[in-house]
């Protein structure tokens, strides 16, 4: 009886071994099946300043203004820069006044043209051809409509800020106005216009040339600013928002 029980135990162990082997093989095959295949390559879009998706030339309008700002035509861009510098030097360094310059320029032009026309009639030659300048009604209406849309958009943004609906815009507008007031107290309007023109003729072309480096630095800076703003929001702005609720409870 003891020998018979030992034999039965041995047969049960032999029968269980292949089952365990099959179970382990099935588990291994199942785990192999569950292993994910090689993930497809995902194209990570690089960061672009102001979240733009088009080249700088297209963002600026792809017209003559963009060509001048990006120095596509170096002669025109250099001429604009030289003319603006000459006008600024004439007013700021020489001390000319705008009204005086306009009146004397018109006086000189009219004197030359009038004398030329009279001389042509005396010597029986055709008078100088002076082109007619006419602003079409369609163009005038288009300009006025564009100005109206811009003014309405600015008014809507200011109204939204005044009603306290967007705290970020409020802080941004306050910061911009403070910067402009500080700059305006240091320089006059003509110098400010000249600085703006110089910025438009230098910053876009430099950004287009060093686009990769500037975008990388801007991404790091914006990430840091967002982190600082999150801390400021959690410590200060959240307390401002909770203030009226606490007052109502008391």
């Amino acid at each position: 009886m003891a020998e018979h029980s030992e034999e039965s135990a041995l047969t049960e162990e032999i029968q269980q071994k292949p089952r365990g082997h099959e179970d382990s093989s099935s588990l291994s095959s199942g785990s192999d099946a569950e292993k994910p295949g090689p993930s497809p390559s995902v194209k990570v879009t690089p960061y672009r300043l102001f979240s733009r998706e088009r080249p700088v030339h297209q963002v600026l309008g792809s017209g003559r203004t963009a060509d001048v700002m990006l120095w596509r035509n170096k002669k025109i861009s250099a001429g604009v820069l030289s003319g603006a510098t000459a006008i600024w030097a004439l007013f700021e360094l020489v001390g000319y006044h705008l009204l005086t310059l306009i009146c004397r320029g018109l006086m000189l032009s009219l004197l030359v043209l009038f004398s030329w026309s009279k001389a042509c009639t005396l010597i029986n030659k055709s008078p100088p051809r002076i082109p007619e300048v006419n602003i079409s009604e369609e163009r005038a209406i288009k300009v006025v409509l564009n100005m109206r849309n811009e003014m309405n958009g600015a008014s809507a943004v200011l109204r939204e800020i005044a009603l306290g609906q967007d705290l970020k815009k409020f802080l941004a507008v306050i910061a911009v106005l403070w910067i402009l007031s500080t700059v305006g107290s240091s320089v006059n309007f003509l110098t400010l216009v000249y600085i703006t023109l110089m910025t438009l003729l230098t910053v876009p072309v430099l950004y287009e040339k060093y686009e990769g480096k500037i975008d990388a630095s801007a991404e790091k800076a914006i990430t840091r600013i967002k982190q600082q703003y999150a801390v400021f929001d959690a410590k200060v702005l959240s307390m401002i928002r909770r203030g009226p609720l606490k007052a109502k409870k008391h």
Side-chain angles (χ1 to χ4, degrees):
M1 292 292 290
E3 293 177 359
H4 180 70
S5 61
E6 289 178 358
E7 289 178 358
S8 62
L10 288 172
T11 54
E12 287 178 1
E13 288 178 2
I14 293 170
Q15 289 177 357
Q16 287 177 358
K17 284 182 180 180
R19 288 179 184 175
H21 181 70
E22 290 175 1
D23 293 340
S24 63
S25 63
S26 64
L27 287 172
S28 62
S29 63
S31 62
D32 292 336
E34 290 177 357
K35 286 182 180 179
S39 59
S41 60
V42 180
K43 293 183 179 179
V44 180
T45 57
Y47 176 81
R48 291 288 180 265
L49 198 61
F50 304 115
S51 301
R52 60 180 181 84
E53 298 178 355
R54 298 178 296 169
V56 181
H57 190 264
Q58 293 183 6
V59 172
L60 296 176
S62 301
R64 293 183 179 179
T65 304
D67 293 339
V68 172
M69 293 174 65
L70 296 176
W71 291 72
R72 294 288 192 270
N73 193 335
K74 295 183 179 180
K75 292 183 179 180
I76 297 177
S77 301
V80 172
L81 183 60
S82 302
T85 304
I87 292 173
W88 177 79
L90 189 64
F91 286 114
E92 291 297 320
L93 302 180
V94 179
Y96 247 81
H97 297 284
L98 179 61
L99 184 60
T100 304
L101 180 64
I102 292 174
C103 292
R104 291 185 178 179
L106 289 175
M107 288 169 56
L108 181 61
S109 301
L110 290 175
L111 180 61
V112 171
L113 292 174
F114 181 80
S115 303
W116 190 0
S117 300
K118 288 297 182 182
C120 289
T121 56
L122 292 175
I123 60 177
N124 295 324
K125 285 188 176 181
S126 59
R129 294 181 180 179
I130 301 175
E132 294 183 1
V133 179
N134 293 321
I135 300 175
S136 63
E137 183 179 358
E138 181 181 359
R139 181 170 295 182
I141 293 174
K142 186 177 180 180
V143 171
V144 172
L145 289 177
N146 290 333
M147 291 178 61
R148 187 199 66 173
N149 293 334
E150 294 296 331
M151 293 176 66
N152 288 338
S155 176
V157 171
L158 292 176
R159 182 178 181 276
E160 182 181 0
I161 294 171
L163 292 175
Q165 297 178 1
D166 196 333
L167 184 60
K168 291 183 179 180
K169 287 184 179 179
F170 170 74
L171 295 176
V173 170
I174 292 297
V176 170
L177 292 176
W178 179 78
I179 292 172
L180 289 177
S181 64
T182 304
V183 173
S185 62
S186 303
V187 298
N188 57 16
F189 182 71
L190 181 62
T191 305
L192 183 61
V193 172
Y194 178 67
I195 293 173
T196 304
L197 183 61
M198 289 286 293
T199 304
L200 293 175
L201 289 175
T202 53
V203 172
V205 66
L206 290 176
Y207 173 72
E208 188 182 37
K209 187 176 181 180
Y210 304 102
E211 181 177 354
K213 296 180 181 179
I214 294 174
D215 286 340
S217 301
E219 183 180 9
K220 294 179 182 178
I222 290 175
T223 303
R224 187 66 181 272
I225 290 171
K226 287 182 178 179
Q227 293 175 354
Q228 296 296 328
Y229 178 79
V231 174
F232 179 72
D233 188 14
K235 291 184 178 180
V236 179
L237 300 181
S238 60
M239 301 297 294
I240 296 175
R241 298 191 195 103
R242 294 173 186 173
L245 296 177
K246 292 182 179 180
K248 287 182 180 178
K249 289 181 180 180
H250 292 294

